[in-house]
Amino acid sequence: MKNLATMTDEELALCYMNGNNQAFDILLARNQSKIFSYILYVVRNQDAANDLFQESFVKIIVKLKNGKYAPSGKFSSWCMRVAHNVIMDWYREKKADNITEPTEGNDLSNISHDMLLDSCVESRYVNDQVLADVKRMMEHLPTTQREVVFMRFFQQMSFKEIAATTNVSINTALGRMRYALLNMRRMAREHHVHLQMM
């Protein structure tokens, strides 16, 4: 039998569905950071994010135990879709109006962007400033646009994966990205922000 540590997420999910609890421990370790950072970014509240993260993984466990996972793509994308649905249910319960106001304590510093930066100190400083400006502008986007930008640029998801995760068509995902970029360009113009990486 193949070593659990060398298995793909899809193989581990199938192992867990067949009764191997250690397989789920590895799945959780591999995916928890990505899913939690996504939830925290969308809901902007640490306590709510913790609750929604727990609820998401309970739903993932239940779906796996009930055989409702078919390895037709990336396991992490499937998990993101489950988390997305949990978040949308939470918003519906809160009767949110689809726009989340930025909070004072939300700085997005937990998003890693080291791989986007050059080793040059000057370039790194400029790039850090550009990313900080972009993140500040993203705070003012409607939730649906902010979510697409986050998935595309900070989690490197394809538009096909984004569409599947958010339960919309690819055209809708592309449209949200287009409007997000237009809004961010407008904000940059209005506030005289120069967004060019070195």
Side-chain angles (χ1 to χ4, degrees), residues 28-107:
L28 178 62
R30 286 183 187 174
N31 292 283
Q32 65 184 359
S33 176
K34 181 178 183 179
I35 293 168
F36 181 78
S37 65
Y38 163 66
I39 293 170
L40 180 61
Y41 183 74
V42 174
V43 303
R44 304 179 177 288
N45 178 293
Q46 185 82 31
D47 292 334
N50 283 323
D51 291 344
L52 294 171
F53 176 77
Q54 295 295 331
E55 186 178 340
S56 296
F57 264 93
V58 166
K59 289 203 173 192
I60 288 167
I61 290 168
V62 169
K63 285 177 181 291
L64 288 172
K65 285 293 188 188
N66 291 334
K68 292 185 178 177
Y69 171 74
S72 58
K74 285 175 118 178
F75 177 78
S76 62
S77 294
W78 180 77
C79 290
M80 294 284 281
R81 189 165 50 252
V82 172
H84 170 80
N85 290 339
V86 168
I87 292 168
M88 292 304 107
D89 289 345
W90 180 75
Y91 271 127
R92 278 191 278 279
E93 285 175 17
K94 297 286 184 189
K95 295 186 168 102
D97 63 355
N98 289 337
I99 295 179
T100 304
E101 294 299 324
T103 58
E104 225 176 306
N106 186 23
D107 65 1

Side-chain angles (χ1 to χ4, degrees), residues 144-189:
T144 54
Q145 292 174 22
R146 189 174 65 244
E147 182 178 48
V148 171
V149 172
F150 179 78
M151 289 177 171
R152 182 73 181 124
F153 293 111
F154 294 99
Q155 297 198 320
Q156 288 81 45
M157 293 173 69
S158 70
F159 281 104
K160 183 177 180 182
E161 291 171 326
I162 292 169
T165 300
T166 57
N167 295 318
V168 298
S169 70
I170 290 178
N171 285 341
T172 299
L174 288 166
R176 288 175 178 175
M177 176 61 79
R178 179 176 176 270
Y179 285 115
L181 294 175
L182 288 171
N183 283 331
M184 290 171 71
R185 283 187 192 123
R186 178 185 47 77
M187 284 185 251
R189 270 194 317 274

Side-chain angles (χ1 to χ4, degrees), residues 8-26:
T8 65
D9 286 357
E10 289 71 25
E11 291 171 325
L12 287 168
L14 293 174
C15 273
Y16 177 67
M17 289 166 71
N18 290 324
N20 187 330
N21 290 333
Q22 287 180 323
F24 186 78
D25 294 340
I26 296 170

